[in-house]
Amino acid sequence: MHPLTTMVVGDVGKGAIGEISAHLAATLDRILDKTLELKKAGDPSDLALFGPFLGRATIEMSLIAITARFDPFRILAIRKSQLAPTFDVTERNPVAFSWVNDVLGEGKPKDWDQKPSLKDIQRAILCKHFNDVFWEEAFTILLDSVPVSRGANWMTALKRIDPEGFTFFMRTTANRVYAELSKGIHTEFVIPAAAQYDPVTVGDLLSRAWELAAALGITTCYSPVVRSLLASDPLECYEQAQEEID
Amino acid sequence: MPSTNAEETNLVLAAEDFEPEEFKKLHRFSANDERVIAKLIAHGPVLLQGSRGSGKSALMREAADRLPVSKADAPALGVYISLRHMPLLRSAGDVYQRILCELLIDRVYRVLDGKLTFDATPTLTSVQGGLTDLARALKKRVVLMFDDAAHIGREASLADFFDVFRTLSSSVVSCKATIYPGVTNFGNRFDVYNDATVVDVVRDEDQPGFSKLFADVVVARFPDLSEKPFAADLRLEEFAGFVGKAVLGNMRSFIFACNNIAATEERSIGLPVLGKCFLEMTTNFYWPLIDEVKPKLGKYVPVVDPAKQIAETLLAECGRLQNTSAIVHRDIVTRLAKAFEILEYVGFISRRESSKAMKSGGRGSRYAINLCMLLESVTGTRLTSELYQKWKASRDEPIQIHSKGVLLADVAMPELAENTEPEILNDSIETIRKSPAYPYGLGDRMIERLHGANIHTIRDLYGAPEAQLDDIPYVGEVRVKQLKNIVAQAIWL
């Protein structure tokens, strides 16, 4: 597996969730390989056309894979709905993974001292409740575990974030990068896209997409509620991923 | 000894003061710097954040230089604009916008160099339209790099600046600006994390390529020094890396240190030379620096004394244990936030980690301590071989300052007055007399001549037209430029 895939998907297990992880890992590997090929070739038109798609796919696949590790119920439910005989590709799947419901969460989530009921508790991966339950603890452990000289440039930046602000930072970063990438995918542009998606801009967007996925991936690896990697060192993967994209 | 030309070149400290050819010849960039430059060239609003002398301006100039109008295959047109302009410091609202638009129009004209037309009057709507038309004519984006927009001591106009920044940003105009950590006030209408990407300019000794970058700078700017023999336990890259680490990765301080070392009469560069340099930097550069910065801080002037108190405490405690970093409990950091930010700004400390577990419970921020200053607090004040190895490795557990301990408990934050203008403007020109705080300041005769020309305050000198200065006896074109640089260094952070 690609080092970034290893960090976000984790070790491929058994059963239904294992099948999902294997599929996500294979798809993400393919996306990352294609990204590197595209960057290496450096063709401006290809970069403008395909770069934003690959960057956005990297973010989406990574977030789905990380959700599968923290909250397998959500992803297994999607699998069940997709396997059901009534599943129709021409119709919108009401339980499909979505940016608003599964990544950002809706409106203002209730604070714990406001006595939220079960239905008030959100399970979006970058929402406040997910932060309070998973991210803050995982990121705190990461900060205390990483030796000073490890993690290269991305870690220098990551270490400057407070655990309390981790999810907010990731959420705003994800939102910005996702929005910028999405505009390059939509075909409503009637002016040449290459003016805005020039090779430097696309390269920067891809690098930011990888950095975001890697930050969430490595933090996941330090969460006590997620199975640790058996055969890989997440820090090594983190360093390798940035070396490849930068 | 370095040649006279090299000496003169190394007296230029701010990237914006270099002539284009000299800038290209003397600046070097690491792999991480290249990432930052790519972010400046790429589309999208970016705020470049870093302390004084961290290299923000150099990165911006380099990015703009890679996007000239003459380069057909460049992805954009780069417009670097330094906002070191006194009327901006003293204006707000519509007046601020008009002055900023005038500066921008003038700069775009200069960048285009007659090769294309740019049609705009000094209103925001007109400049916006003019830039859109220009981008259309060029068939590429326009990148506006606003340097020195943020002035720590003047907050009112920054809300106006960020209004302009946001308004001008569009699908064909990418805006970039430099800001200072923690102390830049963006106003209510600018949401820093949603409206822009914040990029930190940090040079941390643990980053790959750290020592190599500083060694490259020595070779480019101090060729005589790089060819000098090094003592047995030092090589060029080790030497440069260690000095870079000592000054917390701050490029401007590194140049000062190299200037000092280049002047040594010792036959080889060894630890005694480094130790002497560190102590002289402490006395002649760092402590005077905080005094130099103080009158420019506007409403934060009263925070300088507590900041010094914190510095003295950290240096004494780290010096006693010969330790290069300290974890300070977050309650203390929160209580004294502005003072810590000022210390970071002047390069006494640098926050390396936001949050680390403390032995006594709770969490705190880890700060790396300036090693030049630390040496003065170490018993014997000598950079011994043992101390060098210890500081180079930095393997000791950082010292810890707890919330309930006595250290820093007596440091209190003063009340701050609103909308205070930087004191420096009303100071007499004697303030910038040649001294440790202003090593390239005015001589006695020049001060006399300026008084004779009815120039008495810093404000008078900064506002004086070049023709008026040129009329002063013994002041020619070159000296006028030097005077402008000296006074600019005095006013701007």
Side-chain angles (χ1 to χ4, degrees):
Chain A
M1 272 200 279
H2 189 278
L4 184 53
T5 309
T6 305
M7 273 189 293
V8 299
V9 179
D11 291 327
V12 175
K14 291 177 183 167
I17 196 73
E19 275 175 33
I20 292 172
S21 301
H23 164 71
L24 292 174
T27 314
L28 188 55
D29 265 356
R30 190 92 179 120
I31 290 167
L32 300 175
D33 286 347
K34 285 284 170 201
T35 303
L36 293 173
E37 275 174 33
L38 188 74
K39 267 200 87 176
K40 197 175 171 193
D43 182 275
S45 302
D46 282 354
L47 276 163
L49 270 176
F50 306 121
F53 165 74
L54 290 170
R56 196 172 105 161
T58 302
I59 294 177
E60 284 171 338
M61 295 301 291
S62 300
L63 290 172
I64 292 169
I66 291 168
T67 304
R69 294 172 76 189
F70 278 116
D71 189 6
F73 179 87
R74 175 71 187 100
I75 305 300
L76 286 165
I78 297 174
R79 178 179 179 269
K80 279 286 180 196
S81 77
Q82 288 174 351
L83 289 173
T86 49
F87 180 73
D88 182 351
V89 288
T90 62
E91 282 177 16
R92 190 183 169 274
N93 179 6
V95 296
F97 194 88
S98 87
W99 187 257
V100 173
N101 290 328
D102 292 293
V103 179
L104 303 180
E106 287 169 344
K108 277 193 173 175
K110 271 193 174 173
D111 231 324
W112 300 105
D113 57 10
Q114 291 175 290
K115 296 186 179 170
S117 67
L118 203 54
K119 71 174 174 47
D120 293 324
I121 295 174
Q122 296 185 18
R123 294 170 83 149
I125 192 169
L126 296 180
C127 80
K128 174 194 157 41
H129 292 148
F130 220 86
N131 170 71
D132 297 349
V133 174
F134 295 128
W135 287 123
E136 197 174 320
E137 183 186 37
F139 188 61
T140 303
I141 295 170
L142 170 105
L143 292 178
D144 289 339
S145 309
V146 176
V148 282
S149 55
R150 296 293 305 276
N153 295 317
W154 287 354
M155 188 57 76
T156 305
L158 210 52
K159 280 180 174 175
R160 293 167 69 86
I161 303 171
D162 275 316
E164 295 87 344
F166 175 75
T167 306
F168 171 76
F169 187 86
M170 290 296 142
R171 183 185 160 97
T172 47
T173 306
N175 231 351
R176 274 201 74 84
V177 183
Y178 191 78
E180 286 177 48
L181 289 164
S182 296
K183 283 196 185 70
I185 292 170
H186 297 154
T187 46
E188 78 254 28
F189 266 124
V190 291
I191 52 170
Q196 287 172 58
Y197 292 92
D198 55 81
V200 182
T201 300
V202 175
D204 177 56
L205 280 169
L206 291 170
S207 171
R208 284 159 65 195
W210 279 44
E211 187 174 356
L212 171 75
L216 293 169
I218 193 169
T219 307
T220 304
C221 293
Y222 282 86
S223 169
V225 298
V226 169
R227 252 187 334 164
S228 310
L229 300 183
L230 289 174
S232 313
D233 173 11
L235 257 176
E236 223 164 81
C237 295
Y238 191 69
E239 288 163 352
Q240 283 170 8
Q242 62 191 297
E243 212 175 300
E244 284 193 11
I245 194 71
D246 285 340
Chain B
M1 289 292 289
S3 66
T4 312
N5 279 346
E7 267 179 0
E8 280 173 6
T9 302
N10 289 322
L11 294 184
V12 182
L13 298 169
E16 52 272 38
D17 295 334
F18 277 97
E19 296 298 331
E21 280 307 306
E22 285 291 289
F23 180 85
K24 203 175 168 60
K25 205 170 96 186
L26 298 173
H27 283 77
R28 294 293 179 273
F29 300 98
S30 67
N32 193 45
D33 291 339
E34 289 294 339
R35 286 179 67 225
V36 177
I37 291 168
K39 287 179 191 301
L40 290 173
I41 291 175
H43 190 38
V46 167
L47 300 178
L48 202 55
Q49 178 171 260
S51 60
R52 179 186 161 108
S54 58
K56 300 182 296 294
S57 300
L59 292 164
M60 268 202 161
R61 266 200 72 168
E62 178 65 17
D65 285 355
R66 292 186 191 181
L67 303 172
V69 67
S70 55
K71 197 172 167 188
D73 61 348
L77 171 73
V79 180
Y80 171 86
I81 169 167
S82 169
L83 299 182
R84 283 184 173 198
H85 190 67
M86 182 115 100
L88 283 176
L89 198 64
R90 299 160 61 196
S91 59
D94 291 345
V95 178
Y96 180 91
Q97 273 191 11
R98 182 181 51 76
I99 299 169
L100 182 53
C101 287
E102 280 170 357
L103 284 172
L104 187 52
I105 291 168
D106 177 63
R107 193 65 205 152
V108 175
Y109 278 136
R110 283 169 195 253
V111 166
L112 291 176
D113 197 23
K115 293 184 176 67
L116 277 164
T117 53
F118 176 62
D119 195 16
T121 55
T123 65
L124 206 49
T125 321
S126 176
V127 169
Q128 201 178 22
L131 290 169
T132 306
D133 291 344
L134 179 62
R136 198 175 297 145
L138 285 161
K139 293 194 175 65
K140 57 171 94 166
R141 289 179 291 117
V142 177
V143 185
L144 303 177
M145 319 246 185
F146 294 103
D147 196 9
D148 287 313
H151 195 274
I152 194 172
R154 177 74 165 103
E155 295 198 341
S157 58
L158 293 183
D160 293 320
F161 170 75
F162 286 106
D163 278 351
V164 173
F165 182 96
R166 203 178 50 175
T167 308
L168 289 180
S169 297
S170 72
S171 60
V172 290
V173 178
S174 321
C175 288
K176 322 281 172 171
T178 52
I179 58 170
Y180 299 122
V183 287
T184 299
N185 183 319
F186 300 95
N188 298 329
R189 293 180 293 272
F190 191 84
D191 179 346
V192 61
Y193 289 106
N194 280 316
D195 289 341
T197 301
V198 179
V199 177
D200 279 313
V201 181
V202 183
R203 291 201 177 86
D204 182 328
E205 58 277 7
D206 293 320
Q207 284 173 310
F210 179 85
S211 296
K212 186 180 177 303
L213 169 69
F214 286 102
D216 288 348
V217 171
V218 174
V219 173
R221 292 184 75 149
F222 300 91
D224 297 346
L225 181 58
S226 66
E227 282 164 17
K228 256 194 160 177
F230 287 89
D233 45 358
L234 275 180
R235 296 283 175 276
L236 171 64
E237 197 160 312
E238 271 187 316
F239 153 79
F242 188 69
V243 177
K245 177 179 179 167
V247 298
L248 302 174
N250 187 292
M251 195 51 84
R252 197 179 297 176
S253 308
F254 180 77
I255 299 299
F256 257 102
C258 289
N259 272 326
N260 179 296
I261 294 165
T264 185
E265 287 174 2
E266 297 291 330
R267 288 172 59 112
S268 65
I269 309 291
L271 297 184
V273 173
L274 280 190
K276 184 167 169 281
C277 162
F278 286 7
L279 293 174
E280 285 176 4
M281 285 283 288
T282 305
T283 312
N284 299 329
F285 178 72
Y286 284 111
W287 287 115
L289 177 62
I290 199 166
D291 291 328
E292 182 218 320
V293 164
K294 187 177 177 181
K296 305 175 198 178
L297 294 179
K299 72 174 189 176
Y300 297 120
V301 169
V303 185
V304 170
D305 287 337
K308 281 182 172 177
Q309 222 181 322
I310 294 168
E312 282 159 5
T313 305
L314 288 177
L315 289 167
E317 198 56 17
C318 287
R320 191 171 64 80
L321 299 166
Q322 302 184 346
N323 201 313
T324 57
S325 67
I327 300 177
V328 184
H329 194 279
R330 64 178 172 185
D331 289 351
I332 301 176
V333 176
T334 307
R335 183 169 64 83
L336 304 171
K338 284 287 170 241
F340 273 94
E341 281 157 9
I342 288 172
L343 289 179
E344 275 205 86
Y345 177 72
V346 290
F348 287 20
I349 58 175
S350 177
R351 191 162 72 149
R352 297 296 197 215
E353 292 173 87
S354 277
S355 180
K356 287 294 278 184
M358 298 182 77
K359 281 177 189 156
S360 61
R363 304 189 67 80
S365 295
R366 183 174 73 83
Y367 291 91
I369 310 290
N370 183 308
L371 301 186
C372 299
M373 304 184 83
L374 191 57
L375 184 62
E376 201 183 47
S377 303
V378 169
T379 310
T381 64
R382 270 186 63 234
L383 184 61
T384 60
S385 180
E386 190 192 356
L387 189 60
Y388 167 71
Q389 293 300 341
K390 187 177 159 82
W391 281 1
K392 200 174 102 178
S394 287
R395 292 282 172 261
D396 289 349
E397 282 283 306
I399 67 152
Q400 308 211 349
I401 298 184
H402 308 284
S403 61
K404 294 194 173 100
V406 289
L407 292 173
L408 303 180
D410 58 339
V411 182
M413 282 294 283
E415 290 287 320
L416 302 178
E418 288 303 319
N419 293 327
T420 312
E421 201 177 52
E423 281 177 11
I424 188 88
L425 295 175
N426 299 321
D427 283 357
S428 145
I429 50 171
E430 271 82 359
T431 312
I432 53 172
R433 185 193 298 274
K434 194 173 166 101
S435 68
Y438 293 100
Y440 314 118
L442 304 175
D444 291 343
R445 283 188 186 168
M446 180 54 73
I447 288 173
E448 266 176 43
R449 287 184 197 127
L450 289 171
H451 280 306
N454 213 20
I455 293 171
H456 305 293
T457 64
I458 306 274
R459 188 193 301 273
D460 294 342
L461 181 55
Y462 194 79
E466 291 190 3
Q468 186 191 347
L469 296 175
D470 207 9
D471 284 345
I472 299 172
Y474 304 103
V475 174
E477 198 184 326
V478 175
R479 197 69 183 128
V480 168
K481 202 172 169 206
Q482 283 175 342
L483 282 172
K484 286 289 181 188
N485 281 344
I486 292 167
V487 77
Q489 280 183 21
I491 295 174
W492 302 99
L493 286 162

